[in-house]
Amino acid sequence: MNDEDLRLAPRTRAADLLAWAAAQDRAPVAEAPLRAVLALLELGEGRMHDGWPELTSTAVEHLLYERLYLYVQPEPEADPLAYGAAVRLVVDHQRAAKRLNAKRQERLHAEAEWQGEVAAGLLRRADLVTWPRLYALLLHAHGVDVADEAEVRAWLAGFRELTQDERLAAFAALGQAGWLDEVDEQGWGPARVLSVGMATDGARRLLEQGLMRRSYRNLAELTALGRPMPDELAGDFGEFEDAAAEAALDLYGEWTAPGLPRLLVTEFPDLAPEPGQEEIDTYLAGLAQE
């Protein structure tokens, strides 16, 4: 076991995989989508073997159809089909390592191709965005350098000065300008904001749970090797949860815009509200009275 595996965040082997692909004279695959794919596969419920995910039809579907759109916002010039291509590269690598037979390779290749196309469509759906994804799109649409946290913070501070109606109009304008598909006939209103907040809360909690599962999985291996428990798991459980929450924000930032998810949680929660149960109940009660 490599000591790097004791970290909460995944130690993806994207560099190794890219080097292997180059040695095989394969068409290049973008590094950022590959890192996201490897990390999300590792944080899913599938098995790992020697640092690589064991690919199954279920794992591929879970990644491309159920998880990717929760976390990833490609940059404007990036190809959203790169995520499916990244999965196909992992499939071929596992075939070369004799972990897949030719029949399974062919089946997984086909599934990754068509589900990668589905995933690209899901990434454009306005009803599936989370707050980090939505604000990453807004930053790109307004020409903000997302790599400059000070510039991002300043833009968010300016956006905070807008009225609620003006903010909703800015969200709607993403569809009108082609950054997202048009939202449904209900448009951007309280119900849409509520759903984005709920989706964001759920996505981050899933990510935190995946990070903790990863650590416990590694702990079982550590115990079998007779090695001491890492500090992250030896302390108070509340501290471990806090560490997982911090690591989740960092990962979310890698997949959207660096530092953005943390800013939305710590400095600008009013721009990215995540409703509690009381707020949800109040909204549902209002619907019942209409």
Side-chain angles (χ1 to χ4, degrees), residues 2-38:
N2 189 301
D3 286 344
E4 286 289 295
D5 288 329
L6 304 184
R7 299 184 310 164
L8 270 166
R11 182 181 62 87
T12 68
R13 300 180 66 180
D16 295 341
L17 191 49
L18 290 172
W20 174 83
Q24 299 295 314
D25 199 25
R26 292 177 54 97
V29 172
E31 183 175 354
L34 180 60
R35 289 189 180 279
V37 160
L38 288 171

Side-chain angles (χ1 to χ4, degrees), residues 132-146 151-153 155-156 174 179 257 260:
R133 287 192 55 220
L134 185 62
Y135 277 99
L137 277 170
L138 279 170
L139 292 167
H140 287 303
H142 287 82
V144 179
D145 181 1
V146 298
E151 189 172 338
V152 170
R153 180 183 283 107
W155 186 89
L156 290 172
L174 290 172
W179 290 85
L260 173 63

